[in-house]
Amino acid sequence: MALRTLASKKTLSLALGGARPLAAAARGVTTVALPDLSYDFGALEPAISGEIMRLHHQKHHATYVANYNKALEQLDAAIAKGDASAVVQLQGAIKFNGGGHVNHSIFWKNLKPISEGGGEPPHGKLGWAIDEDFGSFEALVKKMNAEGAALQGSGWVWLALDKEAKKLSVETTANQDPLVTKGASLVPLLGIDVWEHAYYLQLKNVRPDYLNNIWKVVNWKYAGEVYDNVLA
């Protein structure tokens, strides 16, 4: 059975997970919750080990959720007190941990077991757009692998759709910066986590091997649905 995490029906519009009310909910503050996975931790093996998936979801993503919620509570208290210095000081924690939650919530949806169609190349409108903007699917994979491997330190490599220009691009973001920090018109279709916690237990520090493996379990159906909905 896939993991199920308790969450209420309330949502935070800027986050992708479920949400539950805070004690300060009367002032309009809500917290986010760790989203469920639609597959078991070991379902992506051998591309990604079950141990890595469990730690990545239960430890790393859960920590971003907890720290983001804590920062929201502190922000609410600072605003109520009119403490401008505290409000400014909290922005870094909100960006880092909120970005970690947003990015990972997308990441889990971008993955799918091979037995359920993971790794099948994109079809339909997204497939045509990839051919038009990159030359071929293989060229896109090569570009994302190269940019992901070259990213210094930790971060993410993205397949983005510019909803205004209606063009695809490959982008990178540092640390847990979400794609929106590169441009308000950019919509994430596929995000690959290149922090070492995503692969170290399985592949040590060999990031290129991780990037080569992950394409075997990419959920292109989800990416295609996002693409179609944005341009509908």
Side-chain angles (χ1 to χ4, degrees), residues 25-45:
R27 293 190 294 272
V29 178
T30 55
T31 56
V32 300
L34 186 67
D36 297 339
L37 299 184
S38 63
Y39 40 81
D40 293 334
F41 294 133
L44 304 180
E45 292 184 345

Side-chain angles (χ1 to χ4, degrees), residues 147-156 173-175 193-196 199 207:
E147 297 205 15
L151 184 63
Q152 294 185 352
S154 301
W156 293 74
T173 56
N175 300 314
D193 186 351
V194 295
W195 281 64
E196 282 195 350
Y199 57 87
R207 187 187 291 176

Side-chain angles (χ1 to χ4, degrees), residues 94-114:
I94 290 171
K95 179 182 178 183
F96 180 79
N97 292 292
H101 172 59
V102 170
N103 292 346
H104 283 87
S105 296
I106 297 169
F107 184 61
W108 308 133
K109 294 177 181 178
N110 282 152
L111 303 175
K112 195 170 190 178
I114 294 174

Side-chain angles (χ1 to χ4, degrees), residues 4-228:
R4 290 287 172 252
T5 304
L6 294 178
S8 73
K9 294 181 179 179
K10 291 189 176 182
T11 58
L12 178 66
S13 61
L14 295 180
L16 298 179
R20 55 180 174 78
L22 281 173
R27 293 190 294 272
V29 178
T30 55
T31 56
V32 300
L34 186 67
D36 297 339
L37 299 184
S38 63
Y39 40 81
D40 293 334
F41 294 133
L44 304 180
E45 292 184 345
I48 304 175
S49 76
E51 182 181 13
I52 286 177
M53 288 297 297
R54 180 180 61 80
L55 289 171
H56 201 169
H57 183 264
Q58 291 286 277
K59 299 296 183 182
H60 293 282
H61 190 173
T63 298
Y64 297 129
V65 167
N67 289 339
Y68 180 57
N69 289 340
K70 179 180 178 181
L72 288 181
E73 294 183 29
Q74 294 172 333
L75 178 65
D76 181 66
I79 291 172
K81 294 176 182 177
D83 188 345
S85 294
V87 170
V88 172
Q89 187 273 331
L90 286 164
Q91 298 310 303
I94 290 171
K95 179 182 178 183
F96 180 79
N97 292 292
H101 172 59
V102 170
N103 292 346
H104 283 87
S105 296
I106 297 169
F107 184 61
W108 308 133
K109 294 177 181 178
N110 282 152
L111 303 175
K112 195 170 190 178
I114 294 174
S115 62
E116 298 177 15
E120 292 182 2
H123 302 291
K125 294 178 181 179
L126 177 57
W128 301 332
I130 288 172
D131 287 345
E132 180 177 348
D133 292 335
F134 298 102
S136 67
F137 173 67
E138 291 74 19
L140 168 64
V141 170
K142 183 177 180 179
K143 182 174 179 62
M144 289 191 70
N145 282 356
E147 297 205 15
L151 184 63
Q152 294 185 352
S154 301
W156 293 74
V157 59
W158 303 92
L159 173 61
L161 168 63
D162 187 323
K163 60 185 178 182
E164 294 181 359
K166 298 183 180 180
K167 298 283 288 184
L168 300 174
S169 65
V170 172
E171 307 286 343
T172 59
T173 56
N175 300 314
Q176 291 298 347
D177 290 359
L179 183 60
V180 69
T181 60
K182 299 293 290 284
S185 66
L186 295 178
V187 177
L189 303 181
L190 170 64
I192 300 177
D193 186 351
V194 295
W195 281 64
E196 282 195 350
H197 65 230
Y199 57 87
Y200 188 84
L201 288 179
Q202 187 173 2
L203 298 167
K204 304 305 180 186
N205 63 344
V206 188
R207 187 187 291 176
D209 286 355
Y210 161 72
L211 289 166
N212 285 329
N213 283 338
I214 201 168
W215 298 103
K216 300 172 184 176
V217 290
V218 167
N219 184 1
W220 283 108
K221 181 179 179 181
Y222 171 78
E225 288 172 350
V226 175
Y227 180 88
D228 290 346

